Amino acid sequence: MYDVFDLPERTFPGGFLWGSATAGHQIEGDNVHAQRWALERRSPHMEPSGKACNSWELYRRDAELLAELGHRAYRLSIEWSRIEPAEGRWDDDALDRYVDNLTYLNERGVRPVLTLHHNTHPQWFDERGGFSRRDNLRFFERFCERVVPRLADLVHAWIPLNELNISTKPGRGELKLNMVRAHGLAYRLIKRHASAPVGTAHAYTVWMPRRAHDPMDRALARHLDAITNEFFFHAIRTGELVHPRVAGAHEPDVRGSADFWGINYYTRTMADARSADCTGERFRHKRLRMIDRPFYMEEFFPEGLIAACERLSDRPIHVTEHGVSCDDDRWRIVNLALHLDALGEAIAGGADVRGYLHWSLMDNYEWESYAPRFGLCACDRETFERTPKPSAWYYKDVIEANRTGPDILRRHLDELPTLGG
Ligand code: BGC
């Protein structure tokens, strides 16, 4: 394993925006009008989200926790399905609660980075076909019209939609391009009401051929990169929507519709042309079993973060998510040290990185299960008490010093944890 104690000191630029990230459905609880709630009910393999971290009640506690841990920014999302639970029926109390949440964060010196759509939307919208139908964009636009003017003064940076680029499934091109259109229209709309920057939360997947020399794996890796990464960067840079199997289009609203590149970065993925779903097993000699079940987060690949920063050099960059699911919190400290070092290297190489938001503030609902734990803090599933883990104190020291280094690391980590099987 890598010797993290040997990593150099890395100082970050002045005003660097340190913080953490969550999403509404994953922490609020009882998000009963969302399409994911309905999906959890009809899918036996999914654990229901239930009360999650009960942040719908405890959001003020979350703001206090962020302040205690020294976070200067917090990425959170609002739930459209709470604000418009039925088509055209608006719940002003829900919006008022988000206003209070954002106000309280600001008062505690934590700057809100707000996502308008983080994988969830109202069930009624889903039943109408969601983003797969272009004429449904008017519903998303109407939602944005409702919330953006109300929240405009409270938000430090905006992210219209989380990870709209991610799908590799056949037949999803039209859906993804409609979500790019939704991003473009939200960008223009926000610009009419607010001066804060608007960016992305791009799921940055580094696709590697499973067999480095194999022409089919290499071709597949390039293809997967094109349909998850490049189509999106190209759309934002030029306004041209290009995706295999979908008629190309030009969208003036999309051109230039990001003031910063926000990237969610976790690890690399193997492209395997001999596997039915295109993705291959990790190399066993590199695999870290950090929870007791197979999970995509089983390898550290900080190099990918450097590659992403190099590729996106045409705009300021924010890491809008990065983290690790592990039961032994020491892995989180190791993972943080490695990736902050990589980020420092990218910055030293000229990348204009402005912030880093760790996924996640606390253990939360990981879309179908509570087993993967990404939190800097634990969250008791009965009492909802939040308890910072050692990694939260390590991260706090990094934030305060605005640098990494072996001295800070040694205060929080005695030795490297042993490898999982
Ligand atoms: C998503 C989060 C998720 C995290 C960890 C990201 O893809 O935006 O909602 O919990 O990864 O898997």
Side-chain angles (χ1 to χ4, degrees):
M1 189 56 194
Y2 331 86
D3 187 356
V4 275
F5 299 107
D6 212 27
L7 293 171
E9 197 175 298
R10 300 267 187 205
T11 299
F12 286 76
F16 196 77
L17 204 62
W18 296 103
S20 57
T22 60
H25 189 72
Q26 296 178 267
I27 63 164
E28 287 178 357
D30 292 332
N31 194 20
V32 298
H33 299 295
Q35 98 283 19
R36 293 290 306 199
W37 184 271
L39 180 70
E40 289 158 25
R41 250 128 215 86
R42 60 174 191 266
S43 313
H45 73 281
M46 290 174 101
E47 191 178 349
S49 51
K51 290 212 90 60
C53 304
N54 197 18
S55 288
W56 188 242
E57 306 288 336
L58 299 176
Y59 61 90
R60 285 183 166 226
R61 171 71 196 115
D62 293 343
E64 285 153 13
L65 185 63
L66 287 155
E68 277 158 40
L69 297 176
H71 294 207
R72 310 214 167 115
Y74 180 47
R75 178 175 167 224
L76 71 165
S77 73
I78 53 173
E79 284 295 332
W80 177 3
S81 66
R82 288 192 189 275
I83 296 167
E84 191 182 4
E87 188 185 329
R89 184 162 69 75
W90 300 94
D91 183 341
D92 291 332
D93 291 346
L95 188 50
D96 287 348
R97 191 177 282 238
Y98 285 123
V99 170
D100 187 57
N101 188 346
L102 298 173
T103 306
Y104 203 71
L105 284 164
N106 277 294
E107 283 169 5
R108 256 129 216 94
V110 181
R111 294 167 183 172
V113 175
L114 193 70
T115 312
L116 296 176
H117 182 281
H118 192 120
N119 309 1
T120 46
H121 48 241
Q123 172 66 14
W124 64 260
F125 177 72
D126 208 62
E127 282 165 12
R128 278 181 162 273
F131 289 104
S132 61
R133 292 191 46 181
R134 190 170 173 181
D135 61 351
N136 282 347
L137 296 191
R138 67 202 151 104
F139 294 115
F140 181 65
E141 187 168 20
R142 195 177 64 176
F143 161 66
C144 293
E145 279 290 3
R146 188 92 183 186
V147 297
V148 170
R150 188 79 206 286
L151 307 178
D153 295 341
L154 300 168
V155 173
H156 182 75
W158 301 83
I159 295 170
L161 296 110
N162 183 62
E163 297 193 344
L164 61 89
N165 62 298
I166 199 168
S167 180
T168 57
K169 291 199 183 121
R172 293 288 172 92
E174 193 68 50
L175 167 79
K176 282 155 70 186
L177 294 191
N178 281 340
M179 291 180 87
V180 174
R181 291 184 172 102
H183 167 93
L185 75 81
Y187 178 90
R188 303 292 156 203
L189 193 150
I190 294 167
K191 287 291 164 186
R192 289 203 294 278
H193 297 283
S195 55
V198 184
T200 64
H202 180 91
Y204 196 97
T205 305
V206 178
W207 294 101
M208 305 282 275
R210 179 61 171 74
R211 300 157 196 83
H213 58 85
D214 181 72
M216 298 302 277
D217 284 1
R218 288 161 70 114
L220 180 65
R222 288 192 59 166
H223 170 75
L224 291 170
D225 182 74
I227 66 166
T228 58
N229 293 323
E230 194 56 33
F231 91 95
F232 183 72
F233 304 143
H234 183 74
I236 302 288
R237 285 170 177 152
T238 67
E240 192 194 9
L241 307 193
V242 194
H243 194 287
R245 296 187 177 277
V246 184
H250 262 282
E251 293 292 347
D253 275 1
V254 172
R255 183 167 185 217
S257 64
D259 303 321
F260 63 88
W261 292 120
I263 50 173
N264 297 351
Y265 180 73
Y266 289 89
T267 187
R268 65 175 173 174
T269 307
M270 300 293 167
D272 185 348
R274 291 160 185 81
S275 113
D277 75 348
C278 296
T279 59
E281 288 242 323
R282 295 184 184 286
F283 294 103
R284 289 190 76 89
H285 57 267
K286 287 214 68 190
R287 198 172 70 185
L288 296 169
R289 249 309 142 80
M290 291 174 287
I291 60 175
D292 69 356
R293 60 175 69 186
F295 192 57
Y296 79 94
M297 184 66 254
E298 291 184 334
E299 188 182 357
F300 294 171
F301 194 67
E303 302 90 307
L305 198 48
I306 301 175
C309 291
E310 287 169 353
R311 183 172 181 178
L312 299 173
S313 60
D314 58 322
R315 281 172 171 71
I317 296 169
H318 283 265
V319 177
T320 37
E321 280 181 34
H322 163 261
V324 64
S325 65
C326 51
D327 293 340
D328 180 341
D329 182 60
R330 290 175 303 168
W331 283 118
R332 195 171 342 273
I333 298 181
V334 173
N335 182 273
L336 260 166
L338 290 169
H339 287 81
L340 293 181
D341 182 69
L343 205 56
E345 181 171 329
I347 293 168
D352 182 8
V353 185
R354 306 270 175 97
Y356 170 89
L357 301 170
H358 189 77
W359 186 273
S360 182
L361 170 64
M362 59 197 157
D363 294 338
N364 57 45
Y365 182 63
E366 180 56 20
W367 298 112
E368 54 177 44
S369 161
Y370 280 98
R373 289 195 275 257
F374 280 90
L376 291 164
C377 302
C379 176
D380 187 295
R381 303 268 308 110
E382 303 280 307
T383 63
F384 305 112
E385 192 180 335
R386 283 91 163 114
T387 310
K389 302 176 190 174
S391 56
W393 303 120
Y394 164 67
Y395 187 44
K396 182 179 189 193
D397 277 2
V398 169
I399 298 174
E400 263 166 20
N402 201 37
R403 69 169 178 85
T404 57
D407 56 330
I408 300 179
L409 187 63
R410 284 210 180 276
R411 289 208 288 274
H412 301 275
L413 188 71
D414 298 333
E415 56 177 10
L416 280 179
T418 48
L419 275 170

